[in-house]
Amino acid sequence: MKQEKELAMAVHAEVTVPRTLYWVGGVDGHLVLIDQTRLPVDFVEMECRTVETVWEAIKMLRVRGAPAIGVSAAYGVCIGLQTVAGQAEGPFFARLDEVVKYLAESRPTAVNLFWALDRMQRVGHQLKGRKSPAEVAELLLAEAHAIEQEDREMCHAIGRFGAELLTDGQGVLTHCNAGGLATADYGTALACFFAAHEAGKKLKVFADETRPLLQGARLTAWELKQRGLDVTLICDSMAAQVMREGRIQAVIVGADRIAANGDAANKIGTYGVAILAAFHNIPFYVAAPSSTFDFGTKTGADIPIEQRDPREITHGFGRQTAPDGIGVYNPAFDVTPAKLIAGFITERGVIRAPYVETLARQLRSATAKSA
Amino acid sequence: MKQEKELAMAVHAEVTVPRTLYWVGGVDGHLVLIDQTRLPVDFVEMECRTVETVWEAIKMLRVRGAPAIGVSAAYGVCIGLQTVAGQAEGPFFARLDEVVKYLAESRPTAVNLFWALDRMQRVGHQLKGRKSPAEVAELLLAEAHAIEQEDREMCHAIGRFGAELLTDGQGVLTHCNAGGLATADYGTALACFFAAHEAGKKLKVFADETRPLLQGARLTAWELKQRGLDVTLICDSMAAQVMREGRIQAVIVGADRIAANGDAANKIGTYGVAILAAFHNIPFYVAAPSSTFDFGTKTGADIPIEQRDPREITHGFGRQTAPDGIGVYNPAFDVTPAKLIAGFITERGVIRAPYVETLARQLRSATAKSA
């Protein structure tokens, strides 16, 4: 009965939202990206017509978020091959390898970047000798489209499972940006809010601004507003007070890497939010594709914590806000222990502890079906 | 044995530190203030030679922190009377009342401001008819000096008691600025660190930057560095991670108002830090003069939470960092429940629960002594 009502309310769900990235035209086409460094003040789409432009966009964080970087790089390969599409097999495949190597150097730590480039290179070489360079270029564009489409489907599946955890009228909190801007479309943590909203559930979303780089203020607040959700920006230090006032019924965040025991690495500040949620008896969920589980990493203790430039804190937004000559500690992320996580929202469903057993079972079942 | 070693290490304690405020000259003198809006980039002392300048300095937060505002206002009264010191009793006392009323309007919610102005006005009128206006002006300057001196002594007493809780080599965390810049000198929470440092205990102090107004980054980090302490600036969202890494052995913060049951109102973010400290089994102390206890307020639930301008969050760094048209929630402070507070460091000693009984007993004992 309640579900029927929610479905009936879904009519208003059609909203035109700027796309993080998209391909224009055929094999001679180009990539369009939102320049995220200009958000939230300026909405600027940039056209990438050379592989160098794609490289620069990834390097300078104009496009960011592991899945979005992967998709951009795949299209970057297509752009790189445009200059050799009419040439012989030798120069064509030499160029493919060259472009892959070049793009891989744009953000040396982005796992999805390597994954997408490897896939494009492998598919290309598998066609060598069987298809003409022009045909391979067409098929590689189709592969890039497939990578993009798979990412969209993964995000929407996460959104559907996440939305089921939320009910009309709830207040929810997120940290950093695990949104459409970090993926080809729709996001991971934010996908849950988007899908709930599209199902007619009115949410009140609180977004942590997420110091030092303010992805919550600049990107998450922007995305939520673009899709018509009710968004309230707070400083990271206000989350506890907002919880105490009874305004939050669920927390959903993204993840960069999840250890086999369920410890989850994510943007700095996530761990603190998880403790605050536990103190206020609020469920804390992590939304991420199942590929984020790294079974080679046993626990969060094995995940190294990257340190970033002190000037992100002391000179964050064009103004010096701290004295010269002091110490600064700027860890890029933290690890939330599994015991603080109510469940993982993945494209395969919501996974609860014990994570290794649950996920292994799901993967076996998926393999059995596809066999 | 350990104490002896600490005393022996106290030799290096003499450091020249800029004073928050000071009076220059006699009854015709003037007030000098650090313009705190220019910190930490520029160190600028401003001379206040008219009551209007004092008013503007308080209004524009060039001087801030309840005790520092009170002392400044007391000197402001002295400056206001300089134009009528040679006149008859009528115009002199009319001017006194006028100046008091004028200065009281600079920051309408600052309790210490009213307290200091009331005291100056009362002392002045008590002398009416017994002393000449010139003599009253001299005695009111002495009263302002007394207010300043009492504040200094209170801070140093808090520091002495707080330092006893800390040991050499510890890591400590504070939030916002409860330092010398908020008082005539030396501060409350920071006084504990200063006194420990002067006793030869090497501390590693972590300062939360304290969004949205960055008092931790701008003022606390500056003060700690000025006095030669080892200070490390972090974003508010990093406190949990720093605790998890075992870097913090005690948290000390200030307070704006403490209810009779020990619930303490302080800068937004304090409550969250208290929860994080409890989760990591780190003692969380509040350092404040005993006058901060408000026995008319039974619990923290009776303390209203002031909301501030959204632009402090969205345009805080001299640049717009959030989209237009979103909701913003900007509570100025929060209330930490007594159960999360290990003790209150006051000028009378460290008070532990039950607060009402302990403090009432101390006040009775103090009254008995002075009678």
Side-chain angles (χ1 to χ4, degrees):
Chain A
M1 189 62 198
K2 192 167 171 220
Q3 263 193 333
E4 280 172 23
K5 192 183 160 204
E6 284 166 1
L7 285 170
M9 288 170 72
V11 183
H12 72 95
E14 289 302 319
V15 186
T16 311
V17 180
R19 285 180 288 173
T20 307
L21 52 85
Y22 54 95
W23 183 261
V24 176
V27 73
D28 292 327
H30 63 276
L31 177 66
V32 179
L33 296 170
I34 298 175
D35 182 350
Q36 298 188 33
T37 61
R38 303 287 297 274
L39 291 174
V41 179
D42 302 314
F43 176 79
V44 178
E45 288 189 326
M46 63 178 289
E47 297 185 354
C48 301
R49 295 177 184 273
T50 67
V51 69
E52 288 76 15
T53 321
V54 177
W55 186 93
E56 195 267 355
I58 297 172
K59 179 77 180 177
M60 302 305 289
L61 283 72
R62 302 189 196 285
V63 60
R64 44 152 291 283
I69 289 172
V71 177
S72 302
Y75 283 124
V77 171
C78 301
I79 293 168
L81 290 174
Q82 286 169 346
T83 55
V84 291
Q87 297 192 17
E89 207 170 70
F92 180 88
F93 283 99
R95 174 70 176 165
L96 172 60
D97 296 344
E98 179 193 49
V99 166
V100 163
K101 186 161 177 285
Y102 173 68
L103 286 170
E105 283 161 6
S106 58
R107 293 250 345 242
T109 54
V111 172
N112 277 55
L113 172 65
F114 308 139
W115 170 85
L117 290 171
D118 283 350
R119 178 165 160 179
M120 294 293 284
Q121 192 173 27
R122 196 178 61 244
V123 167
H125 280 280
Q126 279 168 354
L127 297 166
K128 196 174 176 180
R130 297 159 47 203
K131 302 278 181 190
S132 71
E135 287 169 322
V136 175
E138 288 279 2
L139 289 164
L140 283 178
L141 179 60
E143 195 67 23
H145 283 316
I147 292 173
E148 179 186 346
Q149 187 56 28
E150 288 164 24
D151 191 57
R152 286 179 195 277
E153 285 167 11
M154 179 271 291
C155 290
H156 283 268
I158 288 174
R160 280 193 301 276
F161 287 115
E164 288 172 17
L165 299 169
L166 305 173
T167 55
D168 189 37
Q170 283 190 327
V172 291
L173 174 75
T174 190
H175 188 76
C176 196
N177 177 262
L181 289 169
T183 58
D185 180 35
Y186 217 62
T188 53
L190 295 195
C192 307
F193 305 154
F194 296 153
H197 179 74
E198 286 161 19
K201 300 176 188 178
K202 283 198 199 312
L203 301 178
K204 191 159 178 69
V205 186
F206 286 83
D208 277 354
E209 66 172 4
T210 316
R211 282 281 286 153
L213 296 182
L214 299 175
Q215 293 94 335
R218 294 190 301 109
L219 308 179
T220 298
W222 183 83
E223 275 194 51
L224 288 162
K225 180 170 178 281
Q226 286 292 328
R227 291 197 190 249
L229 277 78
D230 177 351
V231 54
T232 300
L233 178 67
I234 58 172
C235 295
D236 305 322
S237 60
M238 295 167 187
Q241 176 64 18
V242 171
M243 290 180 185
R244 186 175 172 85
E245 292 172 5
R247 297 174 190 263
I248 306 295
Q249 281 69 53
V251 178
I252 307 183
V253 299
D256 288 296
R257 190 163 158 191
I258 304 166
N261 73 334
D263 292 351
N266 191 44
K267 182 67 60 209
I268 186 70
T270 304
Y271 168 53
V273 174
I275 295 170
L276 300 178
F279 186 83
H280 294 93
N281 293 311
I282 297 165
F284 178 92
Y285 297 102
V286 171
S290 57
S291 60
T292 314
F293 276 85
D294 175 4
F295 292 104
T297 302
K298 285 182 80 169
T299 76
D302 301 325
I303 304 176
I305 303 288
E306 175 197 353
Q307 299 298 319
R308 291 182 59 87
D309 187 347
R311 289 179 65 92
E312 289 182 355
I313 299 181
T314 57
H315 295 69
F317 291 86
R319 197 153 111 184
Q320 181 172 354
T321 53
D324 291 320
I326 57 164
V328 176
Y329 187 58
N330 185 14
F333 57 94
D334 55 29
V335 175
T336 300
K339 66 173 177 181
L340 296 174
I341 300 170
F344 292 92
I345 307 166
T346 77
E347 77 283 9
R348 301 166 184 274
V350 179
I351 302 173
R352 297 178 193 268
Y355 306 108
V356 181
E357 290 76 359
T358 309
L359 197 72
R361 196 166 53 241
Q362 289 201 341
L363 287 170
R364 271 198 305 275
S365 127
T367 312
K369 270 182 214 158
S370 66
Chain B
M1 190 63 198
K2 192 165 169 221
Q3 263 193 333
E4 280 174 23
K5 191 183 158 203
E6 284 165 2
L7 286 170
M9 289 169 71
V11 183
H12 72 95
E14 289 301 319
V15 186
T16 311
V17 180
R19 284 180 288 173
T20 307
L21 53 85
Y22 55 94
W23 183 261
V24 176
V27 73
D28 293 327
H30 63 275
L31 177 66
V32 178
L33 297 170
I34 297 175
D35 182 349
Q36 298 187 32
T37 62
R38 304 287 298 273
L39 290 175
V41 180
D42 303 313
F43 176 79
V44 178
E45 288 190 326
M46 63 179 289
E47 296 186 353
C48 301
R49 294 177 184 273
T50 67
V51 69
E52 288 77 15
T53 320
V54 176
W55 187 92
E56 195 268 356
I58 297 173
K59 179 78 181 176
M60 302 306 290
L61 283 73
R62 301 188 198 286
V63 60
R64 44 152 291 285
I69 289 173
V71 176
S72 302
Y75 284 124
V77 171
C78 301
I79 293 167
L81 290 174
Q82 286 170 345
T83 56
V84 292
Q87 296 191 16
E89 207 170 69
F92 180 87
F93 283 99
R95 174 70 176 166
L96 172 60
D97 295 345
E98 179 193 48
V99 166
V100 163
K101 186 161 177 285
Y102 172 69
L103 285 171
E105 283 161 6
S106 57
R107 293 256 337 247
T109 54
V111 172
N112 277 56
L113 174 64
F114 307 139
W115 171 84
L117 291 171
D118 283 350
R119 177 165 159 180
M120 294 293 284
Q121 192 173 28
R122 195 178 61 245
V123 167
H125 280 280
Q126 280 168 353
L127 297 166
K128 196 175 178 179
R130 296 159 48 204
K131 301 278 182 190
S132 71
E135 286 168 323
V136 175
E138 288 278 2
L139 289 163
L140 283 178
L141 179 60
E143 193 68 22
H145 282 316
I147 291 172
E148 180 187 345
Q149 187 55 27
E150 288 164 22
D151 190 57
R152 285 179 196 276
E153 285 167 11
M154 178 271 291
C155 291
H156 282 267
I158 288 174
R160 279 193 300 276
F161 286 114
E164 288 172 16
L165 299 169
L166 304 173
T167 54
D168 189 36
Q170 282 190 325
V172 292
L173 175 75
T174 190
H175 188 76
C176 196
N177 177 262
L181 289 168
T183 59
D185 180 34
Y186 216 62
T188 53
L190 296 195
C192 307
F193 304 153
F194 296 153
H197 179 74
E198 287 162 19
K201 300 177 189 178
K202 283 197 199 311
L203 301 178
K204 189 157 178 68
V205 186
F206 286 83
D208 277 354
E209 66 172 5
T210 316
R211 281 283 285 153
L213 295 183
L214 299 174
Q215 292 94 336
R218 293 192 301 110
L219 308 179
T220 297
W222 183 83
E223 275 194 50
L224 288 163
K225 180 169 177 280
Q226 285 291 328
R227 290 196 191 251
L229 276 78
D230 177 351
V231 54
T232 300
L233 178 66
I234 57 171
C235 295
D236 305 321
S237 60
M238 296 167 187
Q241 177 63 18
V242 171
M243 290 179 184
R244 186 174 173 84
E245 292 171 6
R247 296 174 190 262
I248 307 294
Q249 281 70 53
V251 177
I252 307 183
V253 299
D256 288 296
R257 190 162 157 192
I258 305 166
N261 73 334
D263 292 351
N266 192 43
K267 182 67 61 205
I268 186 70
T270 304
Y271 168 54
V273 174
I275 295 169
L276 300 179
F279 185 84
H280 294 93
N281 293 311
I282 297 165
F284 178 93
Y285 297 102
V286 172
S290 57
S291 60
T292 314
F293 277 85
D294 175 4
F295 292 104
T297 302
K298 285 182 79 168
T299 76
D302 301 325
I303 303 177
I305 303 287
E306 175 198 353
Q307 298 298 319
R308 291 181 59 88
D309 186 349
R311 289 178 64 92
E312 288 182 355
I313 298 181
T314 58
H315 295 68
F317 296 88
R319 195 157 114 184
Q320 180 172 355
T321 53
D324 292 321
I326 57 165
V328 176
Y329 187 59
N330 185 14
F333 57 93
D334 55 29
V335 176
T336 300
K339 67 174 175 180
L340 296 174
I341 300 169
F344 292 92
I345 306 166
T346 78
E347 78 282 10
R348 299 165 186 276
V350 179
I351 302 174
R352 298 178 192 268
Y355 306 109
V356 182
E357 291 75 358
T358 309
L359 198 72
R361 196 166 54 242
Q362 289 203 341
L363 286 170
R364 271 198 306 275
S365 126
T367 313
K369 269 183 213 158
S370 66

